[in-house]
Amino acid sequence: MTPRSRSVGVTASSASGAGVRTGRPPLTERRKDATRLEIAREAVRLFTERGVQATSGEDIARAAGISPRTLWRYFSAKEQCVRPLLTRELTRVAQRLVELPAGRPLAAVVEDDGAERYDDEDAEGASAVRALIRLTREEPSILAVWLQVHHEAEAVFAGVLAERLGLPADSLDVRVRASMINGALRSASEDWALAEISEADAVSPAHRDTVRRAMRIVTDGLDC
């Protein structure tokens, strides 16, 4: 199966909203993704205002305008509600890795972003992600979700690299490379989120610029 035809999931759970797909997803799935993102944004807002311990799943459901039963259909725990925001950048990079022609270097995954346009929704999403990553410094349960998301993403990166290199996904060469990419993305996001810059300067383009810098550092040492 070629990289272009393969469907890749960044997370193991379909409830996370993080699956990487080729092509445009069906309308029903797009609506589910939109609901997951709305839940995630409300969860971040409440966690930031009240703290995780003082926020219940029922509080998040009420803020998102859905029933608790619907919330638990999407997520297994209140902390998991933030996953769709945490996985967005990982999903984007994984999708680009899948679609990247075999002859192009991995750095091209983030070098083509310059033509992208950023709107109010991008800025709102970037602000929520920034607040969420900052929460990982004081909320261990959110840090656990952040690390879990990256752990799952690493397996996806390994699968893509294995195809490019013609090696088993569990080989040391592939696993080390996947770990380097994964670590670069996590470090870039944390560097961006924790930087002392204004909200106006921290929208999506700033995040993407930091990711580009991190990927350049990594790909300088990757022969693939």
Side-chain angles (χ1 to χ4, degrees):
M1 191 175 292
T2 65
R4 285 185 179 277
S5 64
R6 189 176 63 172
S7 177
V8 178
V10 168
T11 67
S13 170
S14 61
S16 70
V20 177
R21 311 175 187 89
T22 55
R24 188 172 177 81
L27 179 60
T28 300
E29 195 58 38
R30 296 204 301 273
R31 286 172 175 165
K32 289 180 180 178
D33 287 346
T35 299
R36 291 183 184 105
L37 276 174
E38 180 60 24
I39 292 170
R41 289 190 179 106
E42 291 300 333
V44 173
R45 181 179 66 79
L46 292 173
F47 289 162
T48 302
E49 291 176 357
R50 307 178 183 179
V52 175
Q53 292 299 321
T55 302
S56 68
E58 288 71 20
D59 293 332
I60 298 170
R62 190 180 307 111
I66 59 175
S67 68
R69 182 176 179 180
T70 299
L71 179 79
W72 300 131
R73 242 191 351 251
Y74 283 111
F75 302 101
S76 60
K78 64 182 182 182
E79 293 85 358
Q80 296 293 322
C81 291
V82 303
R83 287 180 66 106
L85 283 169
L86 292 179
T87 57
R88 290 186 80 183
E89 186 66 18
L90 291 170
T91 300
R92 187 187 68 84
V93 173
Q95 182 68 64
R96 284 179 175 266
L97 279 171
V98 168
E99 297 174 346
L100 189 67
R104 297 199 67 192
L106 290 178
V109 167
V110 292
E111 292 300 335
D112 296 334
D113 285 349
E116 293 186 7
R117 295 289 183 268
Y118 300 92
D119 53 24
D120 290 342
E121 184 177 354
D122 290 312
E124 180 185 1
S127 179
V129 170
R130 190 168 182 240
L132 188 50
I133 295 175
R134 285 176 171 240
L135 270 178
T136 65
R137 292 302 188 259
E138 56 193 58
E139 295 282 1
S141 61
I142 302 301
L143 174 61
V145 176
W146 177 233
L147 295 177
Q148 180 187 31
V149 161
H150 274 276
H151 174 74
E152 293 168 356
E154 194 164 307
V156 176
F157 298 146
V160 177
L161 290 172
E163 286 194 4
R164 289 176 63 85
L165 295 169
L167 296 171
D170 62 353
S171 68
L172 183 61
D173 282 353
V174 168
R175 287 167 54 204
V176 169
R177 285 169 167 81
S179 176
M180 290 172 68
I181 292 174
N182 192 33
L185 294 174
R186 181 170 63 83
S187 296
S189 292
E190 292 173 352
D191 184 76
W192 161 76
L194 299 174
E196 294 300 327
I197 54 179
S198 68
E199 282 297 318
D201 292 331
V203 294
S204 293
H207 188 196
R208 302 283 168 82
D209 287 345
T210 309
V211 169
R212 287 191 195 97
R213 286 170 49 209
M215 284 296 289
R216 289 192 197 106
I217 292 170
V218 171
T219 54
D220 282 347
L222 293 182
D223 184 21
C224 60

